[in-house]
Amino acid sequence: MIKIQLTNRQHIIIDIVKKYQPITGEQIAEKLNVTRATLRPDLAILTMSGILEARPKVGYFYTGKSPLSLVEDYIKSIKVKDIKSLPVVVEESTSVYDAIVTLFLKDVGTIFVQDGGFLTGAVSRKDFLKIAIGNTDIYKVPVGIIMTRMPNIVTTYDDEPVYNAAVKIIEHEVDSLPVVEPVVGSDGKQGYKVTGRISKTNITKLFVKLGEG
């Protein structure tokens, strides 16, 4: 559980605001028997964290949000576009061998497959392993034969919260999601263009950054 430590005085300030809101900084200072300048850092922390709301010429209000809920709100405000990586994409006609080489050179767990600029499928390490241990000629078989095809690919998009993308990764037990945008071809065909990827690594890096403040 994430814990944000508030001082004893900050907790008392919150209780005062809850009881007497709206209340000015001077009135809070008077109840605590301290100067307004003494309270300035505490009030700044409480308002910047979103626990209190300050309205000019009115005073302070309690927002009803706990420190933990504020962290939750912040995490859910981060969008896929803020942390996505470049996608690794091959054409359906690419041989399984060449796709495997691409997978290891790019050091990814999944390759996305396209045809005519449209996302048509995805191939994971497991898919490559299954085909490699068989008798299939991986130099001749195109990756389009072994891929998981649309619409069975779980996708995400730029403005989706990273939290939602992480839930999709867990629920569908995949290592990454293609970030897509709708496109229409010259023939009127509708589909998706791959603009990025969100992987377990992206989310882990985000978690580490949050931990570092």
Side-chain angles (χ1 to χ4, degrees):
M1 179 180 293
I2 301 172
K3 293 185 178 180
I4 296 177
Q5 298 294 331
L6 298 177
T7 66
N8 184 56
R9 186 163 66 192
Q10 289 165 358
H11 281 293
I12 293 174
I13 291 171
I14 292 172
D15 289 337
I16 290 173
V17 175
K18 283 182 181 179
K19 185 175 181 180
Y20 298 102
Q21 61 183 330
I23 183 171
T24 66
E26 289 76 12
Q27 291 170 328
I28 297 173
E30 183 179 343
K31 290 184 179 297
L32 289 174
N33 198 28
V34 297
T35 65
R36 175 69 173 81
T38 301
L39 288 187
R40 189 171 291 115
D42 295 314
L43 292 172
I45 289 172
L46 294 173
T47 53
M48 286 190 293
S49 66
I51 297 173
L52 298 184
E53 178 185 353
R55 298 181 187 176
K57 299 181 180 180
V58 178
Y60 290 91
F61 291 82
Y62 176 63
T63 65
K65 293 184 177 182
S66 68
L68 184 57
S69 70
L70 293 167
V71 172
E72 179 184 350
D73 289 345
Y74 175 70
I75 290 174
K76 290 184 177 180
S77 74
I78 302 171
K79 305 298 184 182
V80 164
K81 62 185 176 184
D82 298 325
I83 68 166
K84 71 177 182 180
S85 300
L86 292 174
V88 178
V89 184
V90 298
E91 296 292 326
E92 278 194 27
S93 58
T94 304
S95 71
V96 170
Y97 173 81
D98 287 338
I100 291 174
V101 171
T102 300
L103 181 87
F104 283 98
L105 287 178
K106 298 296 185 179
D107 192 24
V108 294
T110 300
I111 289 179
F112 304 118
V113 186
Q114 67 179 12
D115 182 41
F118 291 95
L119 172 67
T120 56
V123 191
S124 68
R125 290 177 183 265
K126 290 182 181 180
D127 296 321
F128 286 125
L129 180 60
K130 289 177 183 178
I131 196 72
I133 62 178
N135 296 320
T136 305
D137 187 344
I138 61 175
Y139 293 91
K140 295 182 179 179
V141 174
V143 74
I145 297 296
I146 69 166
M147 71 182 185
T148 299
R149 286 189 170 273
M150 290 290 284
N152 298 315
I153 306 300
V154 184
T155 63
T156 184
Y157 51 92
D158 277 342
D159 287 329
E160 183 168 33
V162 170
Y163 174 83
N164 291 9
V167 170
K168 289 180 179 180
I169 287 176
I170 293 171
E171 289 184 345
H172 295 276
E173 298 181 348
V174 294
D175 58 45
S176 63
L177 303 174
V179 184
V180 300
E181 64 178 32
V183 290
V184 179
S186 57
D187 58 355
K189 177 184 176 182
Q190 296 182 338
Y192 292 104
K193 174 184 177 182
V194 182
T195 64
R197 67 184 171 90
I198 285 291
S199 67
K200 292 177 180 177
T201 301
N202 294 116
I203 294 169
T204 301
K205 287 180 179 178
L206 173 62
F207 182 78
V208 171
K209 286 183 179 180
L210 291 174
E212 293 174 345

